[in-house]
Amino acid sequence: MSRRATLGGAAAMLSAPGVASAQVAARTLRFIPQTNLASLDPVWSTATIVRNHGLMIYDLLYALGSDYQVRPQMAQGQEISADGLTWNIRLREGLKFHDNEPVRARDCVASILRWSKRDVMGSRLQTLADEISAPDDRTIRIRLNKPWPGLSWALGKPSANICAIMPERVAQTDPFTQITDPIGSGPFRFRRDLFRPGDIAVYERFEGYVSRQEPTDYLAGGKPVHFDRVEWRIMPDPSTAGAALQNNEADWLEAPLADLLPLLRRRRDIEIGVVNPAGNMGVLRFNFLHEPFNDVAVRRSLLQAVQQRDFMDAAIGTDPSLSVVPTGVFTPGTPLANDAGLEVLSGPRSLEGARAALRASSYAGQRVAMMSASDVPIIQNLSEVAADLMRRVGFNVDFSAMDWGSQIQRRTNRGSVDQGGWSAFCTTWEGLDVSVPGSHQPLRGNGAQAWSGWPTIPRLEALREQWFDAADQTAARGIAQEIQRVAWEEVPFIPLGLVRPPQAWRKSITGIVRGGSALFWGVRRA
């Protein structure tokens, strides 16, 4: 053997690990999510990050396209009886769980039953279903006591809680207890053994995934995977996360701080874009149980003073592409968004008119306990604008800043302000959640069972039932318009505008699906 050959062989041996390491790195997508992954159960939790985790490892029977219409996903299709009461949903062939066991109809039945006990749309299925069964391994039968044209939408909606299909043995877990075996049939499998909460979550391509043979369209269609591995790297400090993206220590940053956007935009190797046009709706929520907001006149007094643009500029900055105003009670750009009565927020603003309306109400200077989440910048900014506006109108505002977890806990307190309760708070709702009456929690008027604030508004509940029974989209839109008119009269909440938070990624990453949050199929490295 020649000296040259010997040296060449040695060099190859020395360089091989580096080459292999580079190849592994090229096949790994490094993602910084918006927050820590605190739960692995997208049926138990309503957190957006848990939903995103769920959409990676689980599949749904149906899926939403970019036109917000539902299409079969795990389902091959369905047969619906002439009276609309019996649905026979047929599964596609070859579907497998991550343990390579086939997906059977009984797995889907158990999953639907568990989900129905946690989800607002699922609870309606519980009421309407006389039978949910699996007559064979590929057929799910749902027999209703009343037609429900929106059943497939409920089973395929990507908003919390999603109807994640799990193995029967996992889906038999009590719905109020978190699962311990996160195994699904989606395009990625979760590496529980590598999971370090607060640090890293690892997903690997599932070779046995059977993608639909059609173009990707938001959550519908094909889900081709071009990375062997996706790493979620948890970085709570936004400056650290921004630096990681700039230093090529990360490929994709889900929630860049608004103050960092000008810096990131100056980088030629980084792209900024709105991935989820449905965004998040800002809302100002009132406590209906106690003074002063148990008086509808007090709630209405604020309508003519609210400048949605002020709230949006504070929340996300002055770039008009990152927010939408005016915003009614349904998400702008979705099928039910409408302008019925919208002039109460889009017409001329009058601070003096609001002050006069407040003086004419029952308000007598009671302390208004306004909560804010200081560790969530968008919510903190919305809250500060709301508190300032209330003070200028004439409210006696006691502004309490606290961390997000403390606010979540405090807003469950139904006592008076003197008993540790609250009067108002700002938050955001994912756009898809508030795009239809069925999942729109701020519009519920079912009293003690309603979302925090606990309004009792029978007209909203009756209209919600009518929407469920709507025969077509035209009828649904008419009902949505009437719901919005009632909302301006009763004021269960005030919409503050639609925030469309941008995401940032290195330009070497292509194929990011527009229309959803952090969807990883179709993404590749250039």
Side-chain angles (χ1 to χ4, degrees):
M1 181 179 292
S2 70
R3 181 174 180 273
R4 178 177 295 177
T6 303
L7 291 175
M13 291 174 62
L14 288 171
S15 64
V19 171
S21 178
Q23 290 174 342
V24 170
R27 305 290 295 174
T28 299
L29 179 67
R30 303 160 299 172
F31 174 72
I32 304 175
Q34 58 188 267
T35 188
N36 182 36
L37 181 62
S39 170
L40 303 178
D41 189 344
V43 174
W44 182 88
S45 174
T46 60
T48 300
I49 189 171
V50 181
R51 186 281 310 269
N52 291 349
H53 155 85
L55 291 175
M56 290 188 73
I57 67 173
Y58 298 105
D59 221 344
L60 311 180
L61 291 172
Y62 295 88
L64 220 59
S66 57
D67 57 358
Y68 300 107
Q69 301 302 309
V70 74
R71 303 170 195 173
Q73 188 61 31
M74 295 179 74
Q76 176 177 301
Q78 69 281 325
E79 293 181 358
I80 306 172
S81 61
D83 59 8
L85 296 179
T86 301
W87 289 57
N88 286 313
I89 302 169
R90 188 75 171 165
L91 291 174
R92 291 192 288 126
E93 289 187 7
L95 301 179
K96 295 179 183 179
F97 287 114
H98 298 155
D99 59 2
N100 288 316
E101 284 293 312
V103 176
R104 298 180 174 90
R106 65 174 181 264
D107 300 303
C108 302
V109 168
S111 298
I112 292 169
L113 291 174
R114 182 171 189 262
W115 162 80
S116 71
K117 295 176 176 64
R118 292 301 304 250
D119 182 72
V120 64
M121 301 284 272
S123 65
R124 181 169 180 82
L125 179 59
Q126 277 195 303
T127 301
L128 295 182
D130 286 341
E131 175 191 347
I132 303 177
S133 64
D136 60 56
D137 282 349
R138 288 185 56 204
T139 304
I140 305 149
R141 176 168 298 155
I142 301 178
R143 190 165 51 83
L144 306 171
N145 53 48
K146 180 180 179 180
W148 185 15
L151 174 59
S152 58
W153 198 95
L155 294 173
K157 67 180 179 63
S159 55
N161 308 77
I162 61 170
C163 186
I165 301 302
M166 307 174 176
E168 182 181 35
R169 58 180 172 76
V170 178
Q172 288 173 341
T173 303
D174 185 297
F176 295 92
T177 300
Q178 296 189 64
I179 62 169
T180 58
D181 185 7
I183 182 171
S185 64
F188 293 92
R189 64 187 186 96
F190 183 65
R191 288 293 303 270
R192 180 67 183 270
D193 57 321
L194 300 179
F195 179 45
R196 296 193 301 270
D199 182 17
I200 192 169
V202 177
Y203 304 82
E204 292 182 347
R205 184 217 311 254
F206 175 43
E207 297 291 348
Y209 181 69
V210 181
S211 179
R212 296 189 72 91
Q213 298 305 304
E214 54 197 58
T216 302
D217 182 19
Y218 184 23
L219 290 169
K223 296 181 180 180
V225 174
H226 303 298
F227 285 96
D228 294 334
R229 180 179 173 118
V230 176
E231 295 178 356
W232 286 17
R233 301 182 176 185
I234 315 302
M235 297 185 188
D237 178 66
S239 297
T240 302
L245 183 68
Q246 294 175 74
N247 296 333
N248 197 19
E249 295 165 359
D251 299 304
W252 186 354
L253 174 56
E254 184 179 15
L257 194 65
D259 291 346
L260 292 177
L261 292 177
L263 174 63
L264 295 176
R265 284 194 171 101
R266 289 197 292 269
R267 295 286 301 250
R268 294 184 178 181
D269 55 350
I270 292 175
E271 186 171 350
I272 307 291
V274 173
V275 176
N276 180 11
N280 300 284
M281 182 186 292
V283 305
L284 172 58
R285 182 65 162 186
F286 307 106
N287 190 331
F288 278 61
L289 301 184
H290 302 285
E291 295 178 337
F293 294 116
N294 60 348
D295 179 357
V296 66
V298 175
R299 302 194 299 273
R300 285 180 193 151
S301 69
L302 281 167
L303 286 172
Q304 56 190 306
V306 168
Q307 290 269 15
Q308 288 187 332
R309 175 47 59 197
D310 290 347
F311 282 91
M312 292 297 96
D313 287 352
I316 200 67
T318 57
D319 183 343
S321 70
L322 303 183
S323 61
V324 179
V325 299
T327 293
V329 301
F330 297 105
T331 304
T334 60
L336 297 186
N338 65 86
D339 59 2
L342 191 55
E343 60 274 8
V344 301
L345 291 176
S346 62
R349 305 290 80 201
S350 175
L351 191 61
E352 285 303 320
R355 289 168 175 164
L358 184 62
R359 289 194 297 269
S361 73
S362 65
Y363 184 65
Q366 298 96 329
R367 180 163 63 101
V368 171
M370 177 79 185
M371 298 189 296
S372 173
S374 58
D375 56 343
V376 184
I378 286 178
I379 294 177
Q380 171 73 359
N381 295 340
L382 292 176
S383 302
E384 289 180 348
V385 174
D388 176 68
L389 178 63
M390 287 183 179
R391 289 190 182 105
R392 289 187 288 128
V393 169
F395 287 95
N396 173 22
V397 178
D398 179 8
F399 188 79
S400 298
M402 61 197 75
D403 64 75
W404 174 244
S406 298
Q407 193 211 88
I408 292 290
Q409 183 62 35
R410 183 172 174 184
R411 76 189 194 195
T412 64
N413 187 333
R414 304 191 186 208
S416 66
V417 170
D418 293 335
Q419 297 171 318
W422 56 276
S423 306
F425 66 88
C426 291
T427 190
T428 59
W429 274 88
E430 174 135 337
L432 290 175
D433 282 332
V434 292
S435 66
V436 296
S439 56
H440 200 314
Q441 296 281 31
L443 275 177
R444 294 302 305 272
N446 54 333
Q449 283 72 50
W451 179 50
S452 294
W454 310 285
T456 299
I457 308 175
R459 286 193 295 167
L460 285 180
E461 288 298 293
L463 286 166
R464 180 176 183 264
E465 285 300 310
Q466 290 178 33
W467 174 79
F468 277 122
D469 296 336
D472 53 38
Q473 192 64 23
T474 300
R477 283 188 57 82
I479 295 165
Q481 290 169 352
E482 185 59 23
I483 287 174
Q484 185 156 289
R485 293 187 189 97
V486 173
W488 304 139
E489 294 176 22
E490 299 286 351
V491 200
F493 73 100
I494 296 179
L496 304 175
L498 187 76
V499 182
R500 301 172 69 200
Q503 298 187 26
W505 56 92
R506 300 192 66 80
K507 288 187 176 179
S508 57
I509 302 301
T510 64
I512 290 178
V513 178
R514 304 304 177 98
S517 313
L519 306 179
F520 298 94
W521 45 86
V523 179
R524 66 176 73 231
R525 194 180 301 278

